[in-house]
Amino acid sequence: MNAALRRTGSRLGMAGWLLAVWLLLWGRIDALTVIGGVIAVVLAYAVSRLPVVPLAARVRPVRLAEAALEFAWDLVASSIVIGWHALRAPRRIQGAIIEVDARSRSEIILLAVTTSISLRPGTLLVDLDWDRSILRIHAMPVRSPREAGAARDGVLGTERRLMRALVTPDDTRPEER
Amino acid sequence: MSPGDIVSAVLLPLGAAFCAVGALGVLRFPDLLTRLHAATKPQTIGLVLVLAGVAPQAGSVTAATPLLLVAVFQLITAPVAAQTIGGAAYRAGAVDPGHLVLDETAGD
């Protein structure tokens, strides 16, 4: 897929999403809302020059559903852990700042990884080195270097799941194409 | 009591409990980064649960779909806020080393 085609695809995807938001806000689908929505999207693009959003070349739906389910589970489980610490011994909580070498060089994967680690209680992205794909993450509760390693494994596991779910041109090795 | 009412009766208090725990964490955790964890995330789950609890009461699908939109935007924007504040604090050196067992970036 060449760059121009990808850019057009990304624009169309974004336009589709904006149109969907418009229709959801109206709460009904008829000729008037659709035409009005198309006009609103075109105007929004003309005025704001929305940036090109990175897209995945291919999505594996089952893997994506797996990743989403594991994410939901992580979200609930670690919320309970953080809540427990907030109730029991908040003053003694310890954290760590860890560096994680991301394997992916794809923007969309890193975007999904950082969003999901920052959404989940217990890990928070504090810095990102784009050139070397290094994520600096604050993790808590972490009481020992071993637990810091577990937090790192969790982040890498999230990345692995997302890389399985979303196939991107940046990460595909030539023999896999 | 319809099944929808039971869903609401379970999810609304559960969501409220998550929000309350998040607020409690903001009050009780010791430094900025740990507070940020409590401020941005149990609250997100709490809101999603509250929205899921409200949905059966909306009466129609068209009335319930904006709730989905609220949840999506919450999930997209909450990490941005958390990363912005956390990143600013980290770069400004406002992270208290007393609450860290390990800082792999300390050598830089």
Side-chain angles (χ1 to χ4, degrees), chain A residues 24 27 75 79 83 86-87 90-91 94-99 114 118-120 122-123 126-127 136 138 140 142 152, chain B residues 18 21 24 28 30 33-34 37 41 45 62 65 69 75 79 82-83 87 90-91 98-105:
Chain A
L24 276 178
L75 201 63
S79 274
L87 291 172
R91 294 283 155 197
Q94 296 273 308
I97 292 182
I98 54 175
E99 287 195 330
T114 53
S118 290
L119 255 182
R120 154 190 328 163
T123 50
V126 291
D127 202 9
R136 301 204 173 95
H138 179 258
M140 77 169 214
V142 173
R152 186 198 321 276
Chain B
F18 269 113
V21 164
L24 197 68
R28 298 183 73 182
L33 283 181
T34 49
H37 281 279
K41 297 167 230 176
I45 302 177
T62 50
T65 42
L69 216 53
L75 290 174
Q83 284 169 15
Y90 172 75
R91 282 189 290 275
H99 297 296
L100 297 175
V101 287
L102 176 73
D103 185 356
E104 295 180 344
T105 63

Side-chain angles (χ1 to χ4, degrees), chain B:
Chain B
M1 204 154 127
S2 70
D5 289 343
I6 295 171
V7 169
S8 295
V10 171
L11 291 184
L12 285 177
L14 200 60
F18 269 113
C19 290
V21 164
L24 197 68
V26 173
L27 279 175
R28 298 183 73 182
F29 280 134
D31 73 334
L32 190 142
L33 283 181
T34 49
R35 283 186 170 153
L36 207 51
H37 281 279
T40 52
K41 297 167 230 176
Q43 179 268 122
T44 308
I45 302 177
L47 179 70
V48 170
L49 288 174
V50 167
L51 290 171
V54 168
Q57 309 299 326
S60 69
V61 176
T62 50
T65 42
L67 300 175
L68 187 69
L69 216 53
V70 173
V72 168
F73 276 107
Q74 180 70 25
L75 290 174
I76 295 175
T77 53
V80 176
Q83 284 169 15
T84 310
I85 300 172
Y90 172 75
R91 282 189 290 275
V95 177
D96 183 358
H99 297 296
L100 297 175
V101 287
L102 176 73
D103 185 356
E104 295 180 344
T105 63
D108 294 359

Side-chain angles (χ1 to χ4, degrees), chain A residues 4 23 38 45 54 63 87 97 107 125-126 143 150 156 161:
Chain A
L23 292 175
V38 170
Y45 257 97
R63 297 285 193 191
L87 291 172
I97 292 182
E107 277 185 45
L125 185 81
V126 291
R143 283 161 301 188
L156 288 174
R161 287 199 294 272

Side-chain angles (χ1 to χ4, degrees), chain A residues 59-170:
Chain A
V59 176
R60 299 195 181 106
V62 178
R63 297 285 193 191
L64 190 64
E66 255 178 44
L69 271 182
E70 295 207 55
F71 170 71
W73 168 247
D74 279 351
L75 201 63
V76 173
S78 50
S79 274
I80 291 168
V81 170
I82 297 279
W84 177 253
H85 278 269
L87 291 172
R88 296 289 297 172
R91 294 283 155 197
R92 279 187 282 130
I93 193 130
Q94 296 273 308
I97 292 182
I98 54 175
E99 287 195 330
V100 179
D101 279 306
R103 286 189 303 144
S104 172
R105 290 291 180 276
S106 144
E107 277 185 45
I108 181 108
I109 298 276
L110 286 177
L111 187 69
V113 170
T114 53
T115 304
S116 88
I117 61 183
S118 290
L119 255 182
R120 154 190 328 163
T123 50
L124 177 72
L125 185 81
V126 291
D127 202 9
L128 174 61
D129 187 334
W130 265 119
D131 301 327
R132 293 186 290 156
S133 279
I134 291 178
L135 313 172
R136 301 204 173 95
I137 291 161
H138 179 258
M140 77 169 214
V142 173
R143 283 161 301 188
S144 64
R146 208 165 57 86
E147 290 190 347
R152 186 198 321 276
D153 291 344
V155 172
L156 288 174
T158 304
E159 188 196 23
R160 198 166 52 242
R161 287 199 294 272
L162 284 166
M163 281 173 83
R164 273 206 300 260
L166 305 171
V167 183
T168 59
D170 310 278

